[in-house]
């Protein structure tokens, strides 16, 4: 019996299936005059939020290059009277709103970067931007919805700034660059913002973020366990001995050995780890070796990805991958060099915070509130969640009249703008409910 993964099971086993059976806390009770006023302000700012989104969508920028977007954000936050900090992690912008009443410090985050994708939506404000990315000319588009994230947070900042006299506490608005990754040879994103001291002088006790998804329009969903997977790059080089294809016994075949390694890696998740604890995936996406059919080559190179929802499991998988590849290669007389490059860790919502604040999302979404399903996609909000108790949730944007919507990262990704005010309401309500209850 493999028991090493049972230690944290009791603390991580809280799910929203159980939470939904509990009575709502006072912070999620029927709307108060304060929340009604907030909703009125959301309604007022919605046309501007839509305008911001369309403007940002039409002028997308890649990671560490979001200068126009950052300028738009900074100008807006300054106009609201916030303390504004710029040029964090290259192009990051932070706005600080101090309420008139004493209270906690919390943070809200939106990512600003677009993708190297040529847009195919046909929208009147579709991107026609072309730029150079890692030495190649590429189209640029907000194919993941970060334009909506920015517009939503700008709207929430405006609503909360207008409620400053009633606000208890401080809100840090974090507009983050390079969530999709920095250009080759550069650092970026959430990790660099933290490295540069994002919260050095003002550390929040809670942090919230959202991501638009192609789930039903207006749906809000969250879970208390690992919500988004870690993502690590795997490179394995199998070295053998070149020989004639008709006389393989005169050499060491790295192709056959690589094939055995690929199969061996699959037994790690299916036979060596407790599959009831957390899903994990090891995938080899590229195998390169040899130049012609009758020559067994010297070596084979493999590339792949490793994903899981628990950081302890993540470390164990890394260890077992190296053991498996090295031992299989050794059994064939070959050698295996394993290199694992860590990417984003798993995004794990804080159970206590999520238990407390999920009723707020339920109040906003009504019968469209759901427990989120896990996604093998990764997200660098995980770096924030590793340092600050955090809750990351999903906002559904699939148009009601569309049977099947194109997913995030598709050149035809086209989220419904009617989700924007729901996102603003959710972010605003989380701030008001949390600060009022603390």
């Amino acid at each position: 019996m493999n028991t090493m993964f049972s230690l944290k099971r009791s603390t991580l086993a809280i799910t929203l299936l159980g939470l939904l059976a509990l009575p709502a806390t006072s912070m999620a009770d029927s709307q108060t005059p304060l929340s009604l006023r907030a909703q009125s302000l959301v309604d007022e700012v919605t046309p501007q939020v839509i305008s911001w989104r369309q403007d940002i969508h039409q002028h997308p920028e890649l990671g560490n290059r979001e200068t126009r977007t950052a300028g738009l954000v900074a100008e807006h936050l300054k106009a609201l009277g916030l303390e504004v900090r710029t040029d964090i992690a290259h192009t990051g912008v932070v706005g600080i709103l101090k309420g008139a009443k004493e209270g906690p410090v919390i943070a809200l985050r939106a990512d600003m970067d677009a993708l190297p994708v040529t847009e195919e939506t046909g929208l009147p404000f579709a991107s026609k931007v072309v730029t150079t990315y890692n030495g190649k000319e590429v189209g640029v588009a907000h194919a993941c919805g970060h334009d909506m994230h920015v517009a939503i947070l700008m709207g929430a900042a405006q609503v909360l700034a207008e409620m400053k006299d009633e606000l208890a506490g401080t809100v840090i608005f974090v507009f983050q660059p390079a969530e999709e990754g920095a250009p080759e040879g550069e650092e970026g994103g959430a990790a660099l913002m933290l490295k540069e001291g994002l919260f050095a002088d003002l550390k929040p006790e809670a942090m919230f973020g959202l991501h638009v998804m192609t789930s039903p329009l207006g749906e809000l969903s969250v879970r208390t366990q690992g919500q988004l997977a870690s993502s690590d790059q795997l490179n394995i080089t199998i070295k053998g001995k070149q020989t004639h294809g008709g006389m393989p016994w005169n050499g060491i075949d790295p192709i056959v050995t690589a094939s055995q390694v690929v199969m061996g890696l699959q037994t790690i998740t299916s036979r060596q780890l407790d599959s009831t604890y957390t899903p994990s995936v090891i995938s080899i996406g590229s195998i390169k070796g040899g130049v012609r059919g009758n020559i067994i080559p010297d070596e084979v190179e493999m590339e792949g990805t490793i994903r899981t929802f628990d950081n302890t499991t993540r470390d164990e998988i890394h260890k077992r991958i190296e053991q498996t590849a090295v031992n299989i290669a050794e059994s064939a007389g070959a050698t295996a060099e394993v290199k694992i490059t860590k990417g984003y860790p798993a995004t794990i919502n804080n159970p206590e915070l999520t238990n407390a604040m999920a009723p707020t999302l339920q109040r906003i979404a009504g019968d469209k509130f759901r427990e989120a399903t896990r996604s093998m996609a990764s997200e660098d909000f995980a770096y924030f969640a590793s340092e600050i108790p955090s809750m990351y949730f999903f906002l559904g944007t699939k148009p009601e009249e569309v049977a099947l919507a194109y997913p995030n990262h598709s050149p035809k990704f086209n989220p419904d703008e009617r989700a924007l005010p729901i996102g603003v309401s959710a972010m605003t309500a989380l701030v008001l409910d949390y600060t009022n209850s603390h």
Side-chain angles (χ1 to χ4, degrees):
M1 178 180 180
N2 188 339
T3 60
M4 68 170 297
F5 301 107
S6 64
L7 298 177
K8 295 185 179 180
R9 189 172 300 188
S10 60
T11 58
L12 294 178
I14 303 170
T15 69
L16 290 179
L17 295 177
L19 184 151
L20 293 176
L22 298 175
T25 61
S26 60
M27 70 179 72
D29 288 344
S30 58
Q31 288 187 325
T32 64
L34 184 65
S35 62
L36 287 173
R37 181 181 176 223
Q39 190 56 53
S40 175
L41 292 171
V42 170
D43 294 339
E44 290 179 17
V45 79
T46 293
Q48 184 62 60
V49 171
I50 294 172
S51 178
W52 284 325
R53 183 261 167 164
Q54 293 183 1
D55 178 61
I56 295 167
H57 186 92
Q58 195 167 18
H59 302 93
E61 297 166 301
L62 296 178
N64 288 354
R65 305 291 185 271
E66 306 94 337
T67 53
R68 183 184 184 276
T69 307
L72 179 70
V73 169
E75 181 180 1
H76 174 61
L77 298 181
K78 289 176 183 177
L80 295 176
L82 274 62
E83 176 187 340
V84 179
R85 303 173 182 179
T86 60
D87 303 322
I88 305 171
H90 301 292
T91 53
V93 179
V94 171
I96 300 172
L97 172 63
K98 295 182 179 179
K101 304 176 183 179
E102 291 295 320
V105 178
I106 63 174
L108 306 178
R109 176 268 205 168
D111 37 7
M112 301 188 295
D113 56 326
L115 286 162
V117 170
T118 300
E119 183 168 347
E120 298 176 6
T121 62
L123 292 168
F125 52 89
S127 167
K128 295 179 174 58
V129 174
V130 176
T131 191
T132 301
Y133 177 70
N134 290 342
K136 298 180 181 179
E137 187 175 272
V138 296
V140 184
H142 271 293
C144 198
H146 296 183
D147 53 334
M148 298 190 79
H149 301 172
V150 175
I152 286 170
L153 195 54
M154 291 172 71
Q158 180 161 325
V159 171
L160 291 167
E162 293 191 35
M163 301 183 71
K164 179 180 179 179
D165 291 342
E166 301 158 89
L167 180 63
T170 299
V171 186
I172 306 173
F173 300 91
V174 179
F175 292 85
Q176 180 211 304
E179 189 282 323
E180 301 288 354
E184 289 182 3
E186 296 182 20
E187 292 183 273
L192 184 57
M193 293 190 89
L194 291 169
K195 181 179 177 180
E196 292 185 356
L198 173 63
F199 299 134
D201 61 340
L202 190 63
K203 187 171 183 176
E205 63 180 59
M207 190 165 188
F208 302 98
L210 67 75
H211 205 298
V212 297
M213 303 292 282
T214 51
S215 50
L217 179 65
E219 181 179 283
L220 294 175
S221 59
V222 70
R223 66 181 300 117
T224 56
Q225 296 175 317
Q227 182 152 299
L228 291 160
S230 58
S231 176
D232 301 320
Q233 177 71 29
L234 172 62
N235 296 84
I236 302 175
T237 301
I238 306 294
K239 294 187 177 181
K241 182 181 179 182
Q242 184 169 314
T243 187
H244 194 291
M247 294 171 279
W249 50 86
N250 287 332
I252 298 172
D253 192 335
I255 292 179
V256 171
T257 304
S259 302
Q260 293 172 328
V261 168
V262 171
M263 297 305 295
L265 294 178
Q266 302 314 306
T267 69
I268 294 175
T269 57
S270 67
R271 292 295 180 270
Q272 300 178 43
L273 302 179
D274 183 350
S275 59
T276 67
Y277 179 61
T278 185
S280 301
V281 168
I282 304 170
S283 296
I284 298 298
S286 172
I287 301 180
K288 301 174 184 178
V291 293
R292 57 182 294 167
N294 67 344
I295 300 175
I296 293 173
D298 273 325
E299 66 179 44
V300 170
E301 295 180 354
M302 298 185 290
E303 295 179 310
T305 187
I306 311 161
R307 294 174 187 258
T308 191
F309 295 92
D310 172 72
N311 292 323
T312 301
T313 305
R314 180 192 196 191
D315 293 337
E316 181 67 12
I317 289 176
H318 292 182
K319 183 178 72 175
R320 291 178 184 249
I321 285 174
E322 183 158 12
Q323 289 176 342
T324 299
V326 169
N327 290 340
I328 289 176
E330 184 179 358
S331 71
T335 62
E337 296 177 357
V338 179
K339 179 182 178 182
I340 297 174
T341 305
K342 281 191 171 184
Y344 298 160
T347 301
I348 301 174
N349 283 333
N350 179 274
E352 292 77 16
L353 179 66
T354 306
N355 265 323
M357 302 311 299
T360 297
L361 299 184
Q362 188 173 25
R363 190 185 76 228
I364 298 299
D367 61 4
K368 288 189 175 182
F369 176 69
R370 298 283 185 273
E371 180 184 32
T373 57
R374 294 185 178 100
S375 170
M376 282 292 178
S378 60
E379 161 68 57
D380 83 342
F381 185 84
Y383 291 114
F384 294 132
S386 297
E387 294 202 11
I388 308 294
S390 296
M391 187 180 84
Y392 193 74
F393 62 98
F394 297 138
L395 168 62
T397 62
K398 185 178 80 66
E400 295 173 335
E401 62 274 11
V402 175
L404 182 64
Y406 290 97
N408 303 61
H409 287 220
S410 165
K412 296 183 179 181
F413 178 65
N414 184 18
D416 195 321
E417 290 181 335
R418 287 174 290 182
L420 288 168
I422 300 170
V424 178
S425 294
M427 287 298 230
T428 301
L430 287 169
V431 170
L432 296 176
D433 286 358
Y434 187 93
T435 55
N436 287 338
S437 65
H438 288 74

